[in-house]
Amino acid sequence: MKNKTYFLNTALAVVVCAAMAAVVLIRSLAPGVVIPKLNIPNMVLLSLMALVIDYYAARGAKRCYVCVGLFSAVTFGLLPLAAGFAPLMDCLVLALVGGIVFTLTTLLYSTIQDRLSSGPAAKAAPILSAIGLLLASQCFAGMIL
């Protein structure tokens, strides 16, 4: 079996690229529409979408958390800049926060999946645990902000 070490980062890049393509499309077709900010809960949402894709496509892949943090910082920093979503100085902040958020979300989601794999679990358990983690991150972001 092939080594799928960087599949998670590729899935994150695809998910963020799709979101930024939607932003470009919406801005070109309907310039008056208010687009949501790329804040912590939205970063967690994009991260969890990539993690669920990774869970179903590349089970048991080894992860280097340093590489996960670096590549996610590059993804969250460059793709919004390329889409015209944020100016250069905001992209540096997005890169820092995105790297931290994605690394912590990956660590928490991996812990949840390790607990689920210890016993019999339903096929929808990764999706439901992702929804629970998303709700928890929204509560946490509400406490910070």
Side-chain angles (χ1 to χ4, degrees), residues 40-127:
I40 293 174
N42 291 338
M43 284 183 185
V44 171
L45 175 66
L46 294 173
S47 301
L48 287 172
M49 290 169 72
L51 284 164
V52 168
I53 290 170
D54 178 66
Y55 177 79
Y56 286 115
R59 283 189 185 172
K62 304 249 189 258
R63 291 194 180 111
C64 171
Y65 286 102
V66 174
C67 297
V68 165
L70 289 175
F71 290 141
S72 63
V74 169
T75 301
F76 279 114
L78 289 181
L79 288 178
L81 179 66
F85 187 70
L88 181 62
M89 295 310 290
D90 288 347
C91 287
L92 295 175
V93 173
L94 285 175
L96 178 67
V97 173
I100 292 169
V101 165
F102 185 68
T103 305
L104 289 177
T105 305
T106 303
L107 183 66
L108 290 172
Y109 191 77
S110 298
T111 304
I112 291 171
Q113 294 310 315
D114 289 343
R115 296 292 265 174
L116 286 176
S117 66
S118 65
K123 293 189 190 263
I127 296 170

Side-chain angles (χ1 to χ4, degrees), residues 17-36:
C17 185
M20 292 300 123
V23 165
V24 168
L25 187 65
I26 289 170
R27 280 200 176 157
S28 64
L29 295 177
V33 174
V34 177
I35 298 172

Side-chain angles (χ1 to χ4, degrees), residues 3-13 50 53-58 61:
N3 192 1
K4 297 181 179 180
T5 306
Y6 301 111
F7 184 80
L8 177 60
N9 295 104
T10 306
L12 177 68
I53 290 170
D54 178 66
Y55 177 79
Y56 286 115

